[in-house]
Amino acid sequence: MNPPSDDTSESAQATDAFGTIQQLVERWCDRHALKPLRQILPVYPLRTPHTDGWFDLYRGLKDVHVFCKAELPPDEQEMLRTAMQGIAHVLDERMGHTQWHV
């Protein structure tokens, strides 16, 4: 499922985050990095465009960060943080900037 296509801030953040996630997935596939792929593929691409799908994606990225960080080179760690921030922004917009972060 693709990110929203309108010109809102949420859409721009989602598009950037999806591009970054796609680059990470391609890199992990190329080098057969199964551990991060195992965390992200159940939630990417989005199963649903609703908030729960976005939250699942954020949790998948967070799981990669927690469980696979040592395996990732510094540039991928930074890309992962950037993607997490983009998805967090989408969730903030959707949830009215509530304290949803876990």
mmCIF file of all heavy atoms in Angstrom, residues 21-64:
data_model
loop_
_atom_site.group_PDB
_atom_site.id
_atom_site.type_symbol
_atom_site.label_atom_id
_atom_site.label_comp_id
_atom_site.label_asym_id
_atom_site.label_seq_id
_atom_site.Cartn_x
_atom_site.Cartn_y
_atom_site.Cartn_z
ATOM 1 N N ILE A 21 12.297 3.617 4.096
ATOM 2 C CA ILE A 21 12.053 2.217 4.453
ATOM 3 C C ILE A 21 12.320 1.316 3.256
ATOM 4 O O ILE A 21 12.934 0.257 3.383
ATOM 5 C CB ILE A 21 10.619 2.017 4.991
ATOM 6 C CG1 ILE A 21 10.441 2.786 6.301
ATOM 7 C CG2 ILE A 21 10.312 0.533 5.176
ATOM 8 C CD1 ILE A 21 8.986 2.923 6.746
ATOM 9 N N GLN A 22 11.877 1.735 2.069
ATOM 10 C CA GLN A 22 12.114 0.937 0.862
ATOM 11 C C GLN A 22 13.610 0.752 0.611
ATOM 12 O O GLN A 22 14.061 -0.343 0.279
ATOM 13 C CB GLN A 22 11.447 1.587 -0.350
ATOM 14 C CG GLN A 22 11.561 0.769 -1.617
ATOM 15 C CD GLN A 22 10.890 -0.596 -1.509
ATOM 16 O OE1 GLN A 22 9.818 -0.724 -0.936
ATOM 17 N NE2 GLN A 22 11.526 -1.613 -2.046
ATOM 18 N N GLN A 23 14.390 1.818 0.792
ATOM 19 C CA GLN A 23 15.849 1.712 0.627
ATOM 20 C C GLN A 23 16.442 0.724 1.633
ATOM 21 O O GLN A 23 17.304 -0.085 1.277
ATOM 22 C CB GLN A 23 16.497 3.076 0.809
ATOM 23 C CG GLN A 23 16.243 4.045 -0.314
ATOM 24 C CD GLN A 23 16.852 5.408 -0.003
ATOM 25 O OE1 GLN A 23 17.835 5.519 0.714
ATOM 26 N NE2 GLN A 23 16.246 6.458 -0.541
ATOM 27 N N LEU A 24 15.982 0.807 2.872
ATOM 28 C CA LEU A 24 16.484 -0.115 3.889
ATOM 29 C C LEU A 24 16.134 -1.563 3.539
ATOM 30 O O LEU A 24 16.998 -2.449 3.613
ATOM 31 C CB LEU A 24 15.909 0.243 5.261
ATOM 32 C CG LEU A 24 16.491 1.485 5.921
ATOM 33 C CD1 LEU A 24 15.652 1.900 7.124
ATOM 34 C CD2 LEU A 24 17.941 1.252 6.326
ATOM 35 N N VAL A 25 14.890 -1.807 3.158
ATOM 36 C CA VAL A 25 14.469 -3.169 2.809
ATOM 37 C C VAL A 25 15.300 -3.698 1.640
ATOM 38 O O VAL A 25 15.755 -4.848 1.654
ATOM 39 C CB VAL A 25 12.957 -3.209 2.506
ATOM 40 C CG1 VAL A 25 12.562 -4.542 1.873
ATOM 41 C CG2 VAL A 25 12.146 -2.965 3.775
ATOM 42 N N GLU A 26 15.540 -2.872 0.642
ATOM 43 C CA GLU A 26 16.350 -3.302 -0.506
ATOM 44 C C GLU A 26 17.771 -3.641 -0.077
ATOM 45 O O GLU A 26 18.340 -4.653 -0.518
ATOM 46 C CB GLU A 26 16.347 -2.223 -1.582
ATOM 47 C CG GLU A 26 15.014 -2.112 -2.300
ATOM 48 C CD GLU A 26 14.931 -0.935 -3.254
ATOM 49 O OE1 GLU A 26 15.942 -0.221 -3.452
ATOM 50 O OE2 GLU A 26 13.837 -0.724 -3.815
ATOM 51 N N ARG A 27 18.361 -2.822 0.781
ATOM 52 C CA ARG A 27 19.714 -3.098 1.278
ATOM 53 C C ARG A 27 19.743 -4.416 2.058
ATOM 54 O O ARG A 27 20.659 -5.221 1.900
ATOM 55 C CB ARG A 27 20.198 -1.975 2.191
ATOM 56 C CG ARG A 27 20.586 -0.717 1.474
ATOM 57 C CD ARG A 27 21.006 0.312 2.502
ATOM 58 N NE ARG A 27 21.550 1.502 1.898
ATOM 59 C CZ ARG A 27 22.404 2.321 2.513
ATOM 60 N NH1 ARG A 27 22.794 2.070 3.749
ATOM 61 N NH2 ARG A 27 22.857 3.388 1.905
ATOM 62 N N TRP A 28 18.750 -4.599 2.933
ATOM 63 C CA TRP A 28 18.720 -5.818 3.738
ATOM 64 C C TRP A 28 18.511 -7.048 2.875
ATOM 65 O O TRP A 28 19.105 -8.092 3.126
ATOM 66 C CB TRP A 28 17.656 -5.705 4.823
ATOM 67 C CG TRP A 28 17.911 -4.579 5.789
ATOM 68 C CD1 TRP A 28 19.127 -3.991 6.069
ATOM 69 C CD2 TRP A 28 16.952 -3.894 6.577
ATOM 70 N NE1 TRP A 28 18.966 -2.991 6.988
ATOM 71 C CE2 TRP A 28 17.640 -2.899 7.329
ATOM 72 C CE3 TRP A 28 15.585 -4.007 6.743
ATOM 73 C CZ2 TRP A 28 16.998 -2.049 8.212
ATOM 74 C CZ3 TRP A 28 14.932 -3.157 7.630
ATOM 75 C CH2 TRP A 28 15.638 -2.193 8.355
ATOM 76 N N CYS A 29 17.692 -6.926 1.840
ATOM 77 C CA CYS A 29 17.504 -8.047 0.912
ATOM 78 C C CYS A 29 18.808 -8.354 0.178
ATOM 79 O O CYS A 29 19.187 -9.521 0.046
ATOM 80 C CB CYS A 29 16.403 -7.735 -0.096
ATOM 81 S SG CYS A 29 14.739 -7.810 0.567
ATOM 82 N N ASP A 30 19.466 -7.305 -0.297
ATOM 83 C CA ASP A 30 20.713 -7.499 -1.052
ATOM 84 C C ASP A 30 21.768 -8.241 -0.244
ATOM 85 O O ASP A 30 22.521 -9.042 -0.789
ATOM 86 C CB ASP A 30 21.280 -6.155 -1.516
ATOM 87 C CG ASP A 30 20.481 -5.526 -2.646
ATOM 88 O OD1 ASP A 30 19.635 -6.228 -3.247
ATOM 89 O OD2 ASP A 30 20.685 -4.325 -2.920
ATOM 90 N N ARG A 31 21.854 -7.970 1.041
ATOM 91 C CA ARG A 31 22.876 -8.628 1.846
ATOM 92 C C ARG A 31 22.318 -9.769 2.706
ATOM 93 O O ARG A 31 23.005 -10.284 3.576
ATOM 94 C CB ARG A 31 23.667 -7.627 2.671
ATOM 95 C CG ARG A 31 23.011 -6.985 3.818
ATOM 96 C CD ARG A 31 24.079 -6.211 4.629
ATOM 97 N NE ARG A 31 23.566 -5.761 5.869
ATOM 98 C CZ ARG A 31 22.996 -4.579 6.084
ATOM 99 N NH1 ARG A 31 22.920 -3.710 5.105
ATOM 100 N NH2 ARG A 31 22.538 -4.270 7.263
ATOM 101 N N HIS A 32 21.068 -10.132 2.432
ATOM 102 C CA HIS A 32 20.427 -11.252 3.132
ATOM 103 C C HIS A 32 20.419 -11.049 4.646
ATOM 104 O O HIS A 32 20.689 -11.968 5.413
ATOM 105 C CB HIS A 32 21.093 -12.588 2.777
ATOM 106 C CG HIS A 32 21.145 -12.844 1.310
ATOM 107 N ND1 HIS A 32 20.076 -13.341 0.612
ATOM 108 C CD2 HIS A 32 22.139 -12.642 0.405
ATOM 109 C CE1 HIS A 32 20.405 -13.455 -0.660
ATOM 110 N NE2 HIS A 32 21.640 -13.027 -0.814
ATOM 111 N N ALA A 33 20.101 -9.831 5.065
ATOM 112 C CA ALA A 33 20.020 -9.485 6.492
ATOM 113 C C ALA A 33 18.644 -9.913 7.003
ATOM 114 O O ALA A 33 17.695 -9.124 7.016
ATOM 115 C CB ALA A 33 20.263 -7.995 6.687
ATOM 116 N N LEU A 34 18.551 -11.155 7.400
ATOM 117 C CA LEU A 34 17.255 -11.733 7.749
ATOM 118 C C LEU A 34 16.666 -11.175 9.041
ATOM 119 O O LEU A 34 15.447 -11.056 9.162
ATOM 120 C CB LEU A 34 17.373 -13.250 7.842
ATOM 121 C CG LEU A 34 17.802 -13.951 6.552
ATOM 122 C CD1 LEU A 34 17.879 -15.452 6.771
ATOM 123 C CD2 LEU A 34 16.845 -13.616 5.412
ATOM 124 N N LYS A 35 17.501 -10.851 9.988
ATOM 125 C CA LYS A 35 16.986 -10.389 11.275
ATOM 126 C C LYS A 35 16.164 -9.098 11.139
ATOM 127 O O LYS A 35 15.021 -9.048 11.598
ATOM 128 C CB LYS A 35 18.131 -10.226 12.266
ATOM 129 C CG LYS A 35 17.707 -10.166 13.693
ATOM 130 C CD LYS A 35 18.919 -10.258 14.609
ATOM 131 C CE LYS A 35 18.517 -10.167 16.053
ATOM 132 N NZ LYS A 35 19.678 -10.187 16.945
ATOM 133 N N PRO A 36 16.682 -8.034 10.496
ATOM 134 C CA PRO A 36 15.836 -6.843 10.332
ATOM 135 C C PRO A 36 14.654 -7.089 9.393
ATOM 136 O O PRO A 36 13.560 -6.555 9.613
ATOM 137 C CB PRO A 36 16.784 -5.770 9.798
ATOM 138 C CG PRO A 36 17.978 -6.478 9.307
ATOM 139 C CD PRO A 36 18.058 -7.777 10.034
ATOM 140 N N LEU A 37 14.846 -7.911 8.374
ATOM 141 C CA LEU A 37 13.733 -8.208 7.467
ATOM 142 C C LEU A 37 12.605 -8.923 8.204
ATOM 143 O O LEU A 37 11.424 -8.662 7.957
ATOM 144 C CB LEU A 37 14.211 -9.059 6.288
ATOM 145 C CG LEU A 37 15.045 -8.324 5.241
ATOM 146 C CD1 LEU A 37 15.685 -9.308 4.277
ATOM 147 C CD2 LEU A 37 14.204 -7.293 4.503
ATOM 148 N N ARG A 38 12.968 -9.797 9.129
ATOM 149 C CA ARG A 38 11.962 -10.525 9.904
ATOM 150 C C ARG A 38 11.100 -9.555 10.719
ATOM 151 O O ARG A 38 9.911 -9.793 10.922
ATOM 152 C CB ARG A 38 12.656 -11.519 10.831
ATOM 153 C CG ARG A 38 11.710 -12.444 11.548
ATOM 154 C CD ARG A 38 12.446 -13.476 12.412
ATOM 155 N NE ARG A 38 13.371 -14.275 11.614
ATOM 156 C CZ ARG A 38 14.696 -14.331 11.838
ATOM 157 N NH1 ARG A 38 15.238 -13.661 12.819
ATOM 158 N NH2 ARG A 38 15.453 -15.086 11.081
ATOM 159 N N GLN A 39 11.676 -8.461 11.167
ATOM 160 C CA GLN A 39 10.938 -7.492 11.972
ATOM 161 C C GLN A 39 10.038 -6.594 11.119
ATOM 162 O O GLN A 39 8.939 -6.247 11.525
ATOM 163 C CB GLN A 39 11.916 -6.601 12.764
ATOM 164 C CG GLN A 39 12.828 -7.345 13.696
ATOM 165 C CD GLN A 39 12.097 -8.119 14.763
ATOM 166 O OE1 GLN A 39 11.069 -7.688 15.284
ATOM 167 N NE2 GLN A 39 12.601 -9.297 15.094
ATOM 168 N N ILE A 40 10.508 -6.207 9.937
ATOM 169 C CA ILE A 40 9.796 -5.180 9.168
ATOM 170 C C ILE A 40 8.794 -5.758 8.163
ATOM 171 O O ILE A 40 7.753 -5.148 7.909
ATOM 172 C CB ILE A 40 10.794 -4.220 8.475
ATOM 173 C CG1 ILE A 40 10.106 -2.925 8.064
ATOM 174 C CG2 ILE A 40 11.468 -4.866 7.280
ATOM 175 C CD1 ILE A 40 9.627 -2.081 9.201
ATOM 176 N N LEU A 41 9.070 -6.909 7.593
ATOM 177 C CA LEU A 41 8.194 -7.406 6.528
ATOM 178 C C LEU A 41 6.763 -7.732 6.964
ATOM 179 O O LEU A 41 5.848 -7.577 6.153
ATOM 180 C CB LEU A 41 8.834 -8.596 5.813
ATOM 181 C CG LEU A 41 10.039 -8.229 4.942
ATOM 182 C CD1 LEU A 41 10.622 -9.472 4.290
ATOM 183 C CD2 LEU A 41 9.681 -7.187 3.899
ATOM 184 N N PRO A 42 6.517 -8.122 8.201
ATOM 185 C CA PRO A 42 5.109 -8.330 8.581
ATOM 186 C C PRO A 42 4.270 -7.047 8.576
ATOM 187 O O PRO A 42 3.045 -7.113 8.519
ATOM 188 C CB PRO A 42 5.202 -8.904 10.002
ATOM 189 C CG PRO A 42 6.547 -9.525 10.070
ATOM 190 C CD PRO A 42 7.428 -8.641 9.228
ATOM 191 N N VAL A 43 4.917 -5.887 8.613
ATOM 192 C CA VAL A 43 4.171 -4.626 8.715
ATOM 193 C C VAL A 43 4.413 -3.676 7.548
ATOM 194 O O VAL A 43 3.802 -2.607 7.474
ATOM 195 C CB VAL A 43 4.509 -3.900 10.044
ATOM 196 C CG1 VAL A 43 4.038 -4.731 11.219
ATOM 197 C CG2 VAL A 43 5.987 -3.584 10.148
ATOM 198 N N TYR A 44 5.292 -4.044 6.627
ATOM 199 C CA TYR A 44 5.589 -3.198 5.471
ATOM 200 C C TYR A 44 5.530 -4.039 4.221
ATOM 201 O O TYR A 44 6.146 -5.106 4.188
ATOM 202 C CB TYR A 44 6.979 -2.566 5.607
ATOM 203 C CG TYR A 44 7.365 -1.756 4.396
ATOM 204 C CD1 TYR A 44 6.896 -0.463 4.249
ATOM 205 C CD2 TYR A 44 8.167 -2.292 3.400
ATOM 206 C CE1 TYR A 44 7.228 0.278 3.124
ATOM 207 C CE2 TYR A 44 8.494 -1.553 2.282
ATOM 208 C CZ TYR A 44 8.030 -0.280 2.152
ATOM 209 O OH TYR A 44 8.343 0.455 1.042
ATOM 210 N N PRO A 45 4.799 -3.562 3.211
ATOM 211 C CA PRO A 45 3.995 -2.340 3.124
ATOM 212 C C PRO A 45 2.801 -2.374 4.085
ATOM 213 O O PRO A 45 2.442 -3.439 4.596
ATOM 214 C CB PRO A 45 3.518 -2.302 1.681
ATOM 215 C CG PRO A 45 4.158 -3.441 0.964
ATOM 216 C CD PRO A 45 4.798 -4.326 1.979
ATOM 217 N N LEU A 46 2.227 -1.211 4.289
ATOM 218 C CA LEU A 46 1.094 -1.092 5.201
ATOM 219 C C LEU A 46 -0.018 -2.053 4.810
ATOM 220 O O LEU A 46 -0.369 -2.165 3.637
ATOM 221 C CB LEU A 46 0.510 0.321 5.160
ATOM 222 C CG LEU A 46 1.236 1.414 5.903
ATOM 223 C CD1 LEU A 46 0.525 2.755 5.675
ATOM 224 C CD2 LEU A 46 1.324 1.129 7.373
ATOM 225 N N ARG A 47 -0.575 -2.720 5.810
ATOM 226 C CA ARG A 47 -1.732 -3.591 5.560
ATOM 227 C C ARG A 47 -3.010 -2.774 5.489
ATOM 228 O O ARG A 47 -3.971 -3.162 4.846
ATOM 229 C CB ARG A 47 -1.850 -4.624 6.677
ATOM 230 C CG ARG A 47 -0.703 -5.603 6.716
ATOM 231 C CD ARG A 47 -0.918 -6.612 7.816
ATOM 232 N NE ARG A 47 -1.292 -5.957 9.060
ATOM 233 C CZ ARG A 47 -0.560 -5.941 10.153
ATOM 234 N NH1 ARG A 47 0.579 -6.559 10.167
ATOM 235 N NH2 ARG A 47 -0.974 -5.330 11.233
ATOM 236 N N THR A 48 -3.019 -1.662 6.208
ATOM 237 C CA THR A 48 -4.190 -0.792 6.249
ATOM 238 C C THR A 48 -3.724 0.654 6.369
ATOM 239 O O THR A 48 -2.737 0.912 7.050
ATOM 240 C CB THR A 48 -5.124 -1.158 7.425
ATOM 241 O OG1 THR A 48 -6.157 -0.182 7.515
ATOM 242 C CG2 THR A 48 -4.388 -1.226 8.737
ATOM 243 N N PRO A 49 -4.407 1.592 5.714
ATOM 244 C CA PRO A 49 -3.996 2.989 5.814
ATOM 245 C C PRO A 49 -4.475 3.665 7.099
ATOM 246 O O PRO A 49 -4.219 4.838 7.314
ATOM 247 C CB PRO A 49 -4.658 3.635 4.594
ATOM 248 C CG PRO A 49 -5.892 2.817 4.374
ATOM 249 C CD PRO A 49 -5.510 1.410 4.767
ATOM 250 N N HIS A 50 -5.148 2.910 7.950
ATOM 251 C CA HIS A 50 -5.674 3.475 9.184
ATOM 252 C C HIS A 50 -4.567 3.593 10.230
ATOM 253 O O HIS A 50 -3.478 3.048 10.081
ATOM 254 C CB HIS A 50 -6.835 2.629 9.701
ATOM 255 C CG HIS A 50 -7.929 2.486 8.688
ATOM 256 N ND1 HIS A 50 -8.726 3.544 8.302
ATOM 257 C CD2 HIS A 50 -8.319 1.425 7.963
ATOM 258 C CE1 HIS A 50 -9.572 3.133 7.382
ATOM 259 N NE2 HIS A 50 -9.353 1.840 7.154
ATOM 260 N N THR A 51 -4.868 4.276 11.303
ATOM 261 C CA THR A 51 -3.876 4.549 12.342
ATOM 262 C C THR A 51 -3.231 3.279 12.874
ATOM 263 O O THR A 51 -2.024 3.257 13.129
ATOM 264 C CB THR A 51 -4.518 5.359 13.488
ATOM 265 O OG1 THR A 51 -5.050 6.567 12.926
ATOM 266 C CG2 THR A 51 -3.520 5.706 14.556
ATOM 267 N N ASP A 52 -3.988 2.205 13.016
ATOM 268 C CA ASP A 52 -3.395 0.983 13.547
ATOM 269 C C ASP A 52 -2.315 0.428 12.621
ATOM 270 O O ASP A 52 -1.309 -0.110 13.081
ATOM 271 C CB ASP A 52 -4.453 -0.072 13.869
ATOM 272 C CG ASP A 52 -5.321 -0.455 12.686
ATOM 273 O OD1 ASP A 52 -5.417 0.327 11.729
ATOM 274 O OD2 ASP A 52 -5.924 -1.545 12.740
ATOM 275 N N GLY A 53 -2.476 0.577 11.316
ATOM 276 C CA GLY A 53 -1.449 0.156 10.375
ATOM 277 C C GLY A 53 -0.177 0.975 10.517
ATOM 278 O O GLY A 53 0.936 0.447 10.472
ATOM 279 N N TRP A 54 -0.342 2.286 10.689
ATOM 280 C CA TRP A 54 0.814 3.170 10.889
ATOM 281 C C TRP A 54 1.525 2.851 12.196
ATOM 282 O O TRP A 54 2.745 2.853 12.273
ATOM 283 C CB TRP A 54 0.379 4.630 10.872
ATOM 284 C CG TRP A 54 -0.020 5.081 9.503
ATOM 285 C CD1 TRP A 54 -1.283 5.140 8.996
ATOM 286 C CD2 TRP A 54 0.851 5.506 8.455
ATOM 287 N NE1 TRP A 54 -1.244 5.585 7.704
ATOM 288 C CE2 TRP A 54 0.052 5.822 7.347
ATOM 289 C CE3 TRP A 54 2.226 5.651 8.350
ATOM 290 C CZ2 TRP A 54 0.583 6.279 6.149
ATOM 291 C CZ3 TRP A 54 2.754 6.109 7.158
ATOM 292 C CH2 TRP A 54 1.939 6.411 6.070
ATOM 293 N N PHE A 55 0.739 2.568 13.238
ATOM 294 C CA PHE A 55 1.328 2.232 14.526
ATOM 295 C C PHE A 55 2.096 0.913 14.425
ATOM 296 O O PHE A 55 3.204 0.795 14.962
ATOM 297 C CB PHE A 55 0.258 2.154 15.613
ATOM 298 C CG PHE A 55 0.834 1.944 16.982
ATOM 299 C CD1 PHE A 55 1.493 2.968 17.641
ATOM 300 C CD2 PHE A 55 0.726 0.709 17.602
ATOM 301 C CE1 PHE A 55 2.047 2.767 18.898
ATOM 302 C CE2 PHE A 55 1.270 0.506 18.859
ATOM 303 C CZ PHE A 55 1.929 1.531 19.508
ATOM 304 N N ASP A 56 1.529 -0.075 13.736
ATOM 305 C CA ASP A 56 2.229 -1.346 13.536
ATOM 306 C C ASP A 56 3.550 -1.124 12.801
ATOM 307 O O ASP A 56 4.571 -1.739 13.143
ATOM 308 C CB ASP A 56 1.368 -2.333 12.755
ATOM 309 C CG ASP A 56 0.188 -2.860 13.550
ATOM 310 O OD1 ASP A 56 0.174 -2.707 14.792
ATOM 311 O OD2 ASP A 56 -0.737 -3.416 12.914
ATOM 312 N N LEU A 57 3.541 -0.250 11.803
ATOM 313 C CA LEU A 57 4.763 0.058 11.068
ATOM 314 C C LEU A 57 5.801 0.694 11.991
ATOM 315 O O LEU A 57 6.975 0.331 11.969
ATOM 316 C CB LEU A 57 4.462 0.966 9.876
ATOM 317 C CG LEU A 57 5.652 1.375 9.013
ATOM 318 C CD1 LEU A 57 6.397 0.154 8.479
ATOM 319 C CD2 LEU A 57 5.182 2.264 7.868
ATOM 320 N N TYR A 58 5.357 1.638 12.815
ATOM 321 C CA TYR A 58 6.277 2.270 13.765
ATOM 322 C C TYR A 58 6.873 1.214 14.706
ATOM 323 O O TYR A 58 8.085 1.212 14.952
ATOM 324 C CB TYR A 58 5.561 3.361 14.566
ATOM 325 C CG TYR A 58 6.470 4.039 15.558
ATOM 326 C CD1 TYR A 58 7.304 5.075 15.150
ATOM 327 C CD2 TYR A 58 6.524 3.628 16.880
ATOM 328 C CE1 TYR A 58 8.160 5.686 16.047
ATOM 329 C CE2 TYR A 58 7.377 4.231 17.781
ATOM 330 C CZ TYR A 58 8.192 5.257 17.367
ATOM 331 O OH TYR A 58 9.057 5.859 18.249
ATOM 332 N N ARG A 59 6.024 0.330 15.215
ATOM 333 C CA ARG A 59 6.515 -0.714 16.127
ATOM 334 C C ARG A 59 7.503 -1.642 15.420
ATOM 335 O O ARG A 59 8.489 -2.075 16.013
ATOM 336 C CB ARG A 59 5.348 -1.531 16.685
ATOM 337 C CG ARG A 59 4.435 -0.800 17.639
ATOM 338 C CD ARG A 59 5.093 -0.577 18.954
ATOM 339 N NE ARG A 59 5.519 -1.846 19.510
ATOM 340 C CZ ARG A 59 5.307 -2.233 20.738
ATOM 341 N NH1 ARG A 59 4.692 -1.454 21.569
ATOM 342 N NH2 ARG A 59 5.736 -3.409 21.145
ATOM 343 N N GLY A 60 7.248 -1.958 14.148
ATOM 344 C CA GLY A 60 8.186 -2.782 13.394
ATOM 345 C C GLY A 60 9.541 -2.102 13.253
ATOM 346 O O GLY A 60 10.590 -2.737 13.414
ATOM 347 N N LEU A 61 9.524 -0.806 12.956
ATOM 348 C CA LEU A 61 10.777 -0.055 12.866
ATOM 349 C C LEU A 61 11.483 -0.015 14.216
ATOM 350 O O LEU A 61 12.706 -0.166 14.303
ATOM 351 C CB LEU A 61 10.507 1.363 12.374
ATOM 352 C CG LEU A 61 10.025 1.496 10.932
ATOM 353 C CD1 LEU A 61 9.528 2.915 10.662
ATOM 354 C CD2 LEU A 61 11.127 1.110 9.957
ATOM 355 N N LYS A 62 10.693 0.179 15.263
ATOM 356 C CA LYS A 62 11.277 0.217 16.607
ATOM 357 C C LYS A 62 11.887 -1.142 16.961
ATOM 358 O O LYS A 62 12.960 -1.205 17.570
ATOM 359 C CB LYS A 62 10.217 0.611 17.626
ATOM 360 C CG LYS A 62 10.780 0.842 19.005
ATOM 361 C CD LYS A 62 9.744 1.404 19.932
ATOM 362 C CE LYS A 62 10.356 1.653 21.300
ATOM 363 N NZ LYS A 62 9.405 2.230 22.220
ATOM 364 N N ASP A 63 11.223 -2.221 16.565
ATOM 365 C CA ASP A 63 11.773 -3.553 16.820
ATOM 366 C C ASP A 63 13.102 -3.754 16.087
ATOM 367 O O ASP A 63 14.028 -4.357 16.634
ATOM 368 C CB ASP A 63 10.778 -4.639 16.417
ATOM 369 C CG ASP A 63 9.614 -4.755 17.383
ATOM 370 O OD1 ASP A 63 9.676 -4.162 18.490
ATOM 371 O OD2 ASP A 63 8.626 -5.438 17.029
ATOM 372 N N VAL A 64 13.203 -3.267 14.861
ATOM 373 C CA VAL A 64 14.480 -3.332 14.151
ATOM 374 C C VAL A 64 15.530 -2.563 14.951
ATOM 375 O O VAL A 64 16.650 -3.049 15.160
ATOM 376 C CB VAL A 64 14.374 -2.762 12.714
ATOM 377 C CG1 VAL A 64 15.753 -2.638 12.078
ATOM 378 C CG2 VAL A 64 13.471 -3.627 11.860
#
